[in-house]
Amino acid sequence: MLSNWVSNWPSSCWLRVQETFWLRSMVAKLAVGADVLVVRPLREQDAFLQLLTAANISFRYKPIMRIVPITEPLAAVERIRDLILQFAQFDKAIFISANAAELAIQWLDEYWPMLPEVQLFAVGQQTGMMLKEYGAEVLSPQGQQNTEGLLKEMPQLQNLADKSVIIFRGAGGRATLADTLTSRGAMVTYCDLYRRVIDPVSLVQARAEDCRCLVAHSGELLQAMGPISNKATMLVVPSERVAEIGHDLGYKHLVVAESALPESMFRAVQQALG
């Protein structure tokens, strides 16, 4: 019987079904005259969107960017594999984002049943928590949750003479981290694990949205959205660096969150909406 078959599903399957329906409901959310527009990439169990929902804040979710793991060309995949096999030769490893941590864990788990003694760093607390759940010891900034905070707060990253550092990231990221580490004496290697791809259809739809507040979790997302169309639109961003991009695009009303953490961004939205 169908009911018996369904009742025998593993709990993990039910969890996946629930997550799928939740994600679809967020993407399809139709809030006429929504207060908030969120454009960051789709993710499972998005804590920021959950906070907006719990607070009964109307929002539209238009993910204009997709995170695409690097699976081609073959040369790029072989480079990732080679760097993973050489992982024990590095003194330090830095994980730029939760996406980088998730994909790196998959690669490391395949080739390293037990992680070698490489000192691990995460740019933000969310990325750090993902690595800790994997069982790794990881250091991350407690104050400023970004590259600048990592470079400023971590004493282990100040004097790097003759130290080798591998940075797990998305292709085409900022050079600030590598440039600074190199200036401190490090030999830096990039391991690009994914690409950020703008969805042109979603971008057109997002640009056409009428909202009181735009939430841009990164400078790349904000630049993709382009110059402001409604001078009254509030802008919520996770850092002063992204705020500068907003100013250049014509935004006059900005709120800078303490960090990119869901709770911080949520408080910034509340402040923006007054």
Side-chain angles (χ1 to χ4, degrees), residues 5-251:
W5 176 70
V6 171
S7 65
N8 289 327
W9 271 16
S11 58
S12 59
C13 291
W14 278 116
L15 179 60
R16 178 61 61 184
V17 169
Q18 292 168 353
E19 289 178 350
T20 300
F21 276 105
W22 184 86
L23 286 169
R24 288 178 178 174
S25 68
M26 291 300 99
V27 175
K29 188 177 179 68
L30 297 176
V32 178
D35 289 326
V36 177
L37 174 62
V38 184
V39 296
R40 75 170 174 182
L42 188 68
R43 58 179 61 191
E44 294 182 358
Q45 295 297 323
D46 192 314
F48 175 65
L49 298 187
Q50 290 175 337
L51 288 170
L52 294 179
T53 301
N56 201 30
I57 295 175
S58 62
F59 67 91
R60 297 295 294 271
Y61 181 33
K62 293 287 184 180
I64 65 173
M65 178 186 289
R66 293 182 291 111
I67 301 299
V68 181
I70 291 179
T71 58
E72 59 178 0
L74 180 60
V77 178
E78 289 179 342
R79 173 172 170 75
I80 295 173
R81 186 187 64 237
D82 290 345
L83 289 173
I84 294 296
L85 290 172
Q86 298 166 21
F87 187 64
Q89 300 176 20
F90 292 94
D91 297 297
K92 304 176 189 296
I94 299 176
F95 300 82
I96 291 293
S97 65
N99 292 312
E102 180 180 7
L103 292 170
I105 286 170
Q106 294 175 15
W107 277 97
L108 290 167
D109 195 49
E110 182 173 353
Y111 292 97
W112 294 94
M114 181 176 294
L115 285 178
E117 293 185 5
V118 178
Q119 194 169 39
L120 308 184
F121 298 85
V123 168
Q125 288 184 11
Q126 284 185 304
T127 305
M129 286 188 290
M130 182 172 291
L131 290 163
K132 288 177 181 177
E133 289 174 359
Y134 177 59
E137 294 185 9
V138 59
L139 300 171
S140 60
Q142 299 303 304
Q144 198 173 348
Q145 300 287 304
N146 53 27
T147 296
E148 289 74 15
L150 184 78
L151 291 169
K152 179 181 179 181
E153 292 186 31
M154 297 290 102
Q156 301 88 346
L157 296 178
Q158 304 308 310
N159 184 0
L160 296 170
D162 299 322
K163 299 295 183 182
S164 58
V165 180
I166 184 169
I167 299 176
F168 292 101
R169 66 169 196 168
R174 290 196 297 152
T176 302
L177 179 59
D179 288 348
T180 303
L181 296 177
T182 300
S183 71
R184 295 176 181 178
M187 297 170 286
V188 178
T189 300
Y190 284 131
C191 183
D192 295 342
L193 295 172
Y194 61 91
R195 298 183 180 92
R196 293 173 291 269
V197 179
I198 296 295
D199 183 332
V201 175
S202 294
L203 179 59
V204 170
Q205 294 173 345
R207 286 175 173 173
E209 289 287 343
D210 182 23
C211 64
R212 292 174 56 195
C213 174
L214 170 64
V215 179
H217 281 79
S218 72
E220 191 171 357
L221 290 170
L222 186 52
Q223 288 172 326
M225 288 295 291
I228 188 172
S229 57
N230 183 344
K231 299 297 183 182
T233 301
M234 295 288 299
L235 176 64
V236 170
V237 295
S239 69
E240 292 291 347
R241 182 185 66 82
V242 182
E244 291 178 6
I245 296 174
H247 284 300
D248 292 341
L249 292 172
Y251 286 89

